[in-house]
Amino acid sequence: YPPQSSSYPPQSGGGYPPSSGGYPPAGGSYPPPAGGSGGSGAPMIVPVPEEHVGAILGRGGSVISELQQYSGARLQLAQKGDYIPGTRTRALTITGTPSACQTAHYLVTQKLQEAAQREPGQRY
């Protein structure tokens, strides 16, 4: 006792955590699979200075609609006058799958950078 044929302690592997199976718990998967129904990721908030709102909305909402179509995310800009406390900045909420949110965030950031480089008072 113990039997002579077993090798104890194990020479390789056998450490903790186990190298095969067991993680994640059965039935779950991590990270969550892409896709899903709309809002599977945590919402992203992007601050949009009041003077650059036009660059995100576009004439008649054309730019924000285009960004939503291209990215697959939902973009919702806070109402006029509904500012982040202590600022003249509105919150743009991005919801959707993680990859859609990431794409939308990148596109919004690009639009804001372009807007920041324009002459003050120049129309979008």
Side-chain angles (χ1 to χ4, degrees):
Y1 186 71
Q4 298 296 338
S5 62
S6 73
S7 62
Y8 187 81
Q11 299 303 313
S12 64
Y16 189 81
S19 58
S20 63
Y23 296 98
S29 66
Y30 187 82
S37 56
S40 61
M44 297 174 98
I45 307 291
V46 179
V48 179
E50 185 64 27
E51 62 270 18
H52 300 319
V53 164
I56 300 302
L57 286 178
R59 189 180 301 270
S62 61
V63 173
I64 199 166
S65 294
E66 186 179 302
L67 293 173
Q68 289 182 114
Q69 258 189 322
Y70 185 81
S71 67
R74 173 142 165 60
L75 283 71
Q76 188 164 10
L77 187 65
Q79 294 295 314
K80 188 171 188 167
D82 184 9
Y83 301 123
I84 296 170
T87 69
R88 289 214 43 199
T89 301
R90 295 201 232 170
L92 176 70
T93 306
I94 304 173
T95 54
T97 64
S99 63
C101 289
Q102 203 170 15
T103 300
H105 183 267
Y106 173 79
L107 294 171
V108 167
T109 304
Q110 293 300 306
K111 290 284 183 193
L112 290 173
Q113 285 177 355
E114 288 172 20
Q117 293 171 359
R118 290 178 189 258
E119 294 290 323
Q122 188 177 354
R123 304 280 308 183
Y124 292 103

